[in-house]
Amino acid sequence: MAKIPESFRAYQYQTGIDRIRDAYRASADTINKTVSEATQASLQYLESGADDREYDEDGILVFSTASSLAQAELDAILAFTVVREAFITSAVHYWERSARVWTGLHGFEHKFADLRKETQRLYPVSPQLPNLNRLNNVLKHNSHRVDRTLLRNRPDYFGTLFPARTGNNPPEPRLRINHGHVEEAFEIVRASGPTR
C-alpha cells in the first residue's frame, strides 16, 4: 500500500475545513437575508399605522400582524444561533475524525486529550483547540450550563440577557456565540493539523 504524501494529506484536510466554512457562509448569508427581510417587513407594517389586533371576549389579544411579524423576525434570529452552534460542532467533529485517522486512535477510550497529545507529535495544534473543544461540549450537552473554565478562558463566548441590577446579584452569563466566533473556530481547526 502506497503511503499518502504529507502535501496531499494537508491538501485534503485544509480543503475539508474550507468546505465546512463555505457551507457555513452560505447558510449565514441566507439567514442574514431572512432576518433583514423580516425586520424590514415588521418596520414597514409598524410605520404604516395599520392596526388589525383582534381580541377575544375576555380582552385577550388573539391575533396581530405586528406580533406575527415580530415573531418571524425573532425566529430568524434564533435560527442563526442554531446554525452557528451546528457549524462549530461540525468543525470540531471534523478535527476529531481527522485526528483519529492521523493517530490511529479509533477506540472510544481515546478522548480529546489523547487525540490532541498524539496529534501534537505529528502536526502543529492551535493553543485555542482545548477551549473550542470545551465550547463544543457545552453546545452538545447543555448550552444553558456555564463551564467555568471556558468562561475564565474565553469570556467573549458569554454574555447576559439583562444588565446587572445590583452588584450583589449579577446576572448569570449565557453563551452568546457570534459570527466571528464561528469563523475563528474554522481557523483553530485549520491550524490544528497538516498545513502543507
Side-chain angles (χ1 to χ4, degrees):
M1 181 161 136
K3 185 176 181 202
I4 296 174
E6 279 301 309
S7 60
F8 181 75
R9 185 170 285 191
Y11 170 78
Q12 188 178 36
Y13 179 66
Q14 297 297 326
T15 300
I17 195 64
D18 287 344
R19 286 187 189 117
I20 296 168
R21 183 206 58 212
D22 292 348
Y24 165 72
R25 288 178 179 173
S27 297
D29 288 347
T30 299
I31 292 176
N32 268 332
K33 183 179 179 206
T34 301
V35 170
S36 180
E37 288 170 354
T39 300
Q40 187 62 32
S42 186
L43 286 173
Q44 285 176 346
Y45 183 80
L46 291 174
E47 289 173 355
S48 75
D51 185 2
D52 64 353
R53 290 180 279 189
E54 295 177 20
Y55 298 90
D56 69 8
E57 60 275 358
D58 297 322
I60 296 172
L61 181 67
V62 293
F63 176 79
S64 162
T65 298
S67 295
S68 296
L69 291 171
Q71 185 62 50
E73 181 181 13
L74 179 60
D75 289 345
I77 291 167
L78 293 175
F80 217 153
T81 300
V82 171
V83 167
R84 288 175 181 146
E85 292 176 359
F87 276 96
I88 285 174
T89 294
S90 181
V92 173
H93 284 175
Y94 176 73
W95 178 83
E96 286 176 350
R97 286 188 314 272
S98 298
R100 289 190 185 283
V101 170
W102 305 326
T103 64
L105 300 176
H106 297 289
F108 288 117
E109 70 275 11
H110 301 296
K111 305 295 184 203
F112 172 80
D114 300 324
L115 290 171
R116 180 174 164 244
K117 180 180 174 185
E118 291 304 311
T119 297
Q120 283 178 311
R121 293 176 194 236
L122 303 168
Y123 305 112
V125 172
S126 169
Q128 283 298 320
L129 189 63
N131 289 325
L132 184 61
N133 184 63
R134 281 184 173 283
L135 173 61
N136 178 56
N137 285 333
V138 170
L139 294 174
K140 287 189 324 185
H141 301 296
N142 187 352
S143 60
H144 298 293
R145 181 174 64 90
V146 175
D147 180 310
R148 296 293 170 191
T149 300
L150 186 61
L151 178 61
R152 184 180 63 250
N153 293 345
R154 291 300 304 261
D156 58 301
Y157 286 163
F158 296 88
T160 57
L161 284 176
F162 306 105
R165 287 170 289 214
T166 67
N168 298 336
N169 192 14
E172 184 70 15
R174 298 280 184 223
L175 278 176
R176 295 287 178 259
I177 303 302
N178 63 40
H179 173 75
H181 293 133
V182 183
E183 291 286 346
E184 179 191 36
F186 298 140
E187 294 309 311
I188 291 168
V189 170
R190 180 181 308 287
S192 299
T195 57
R196 42 186 143 104

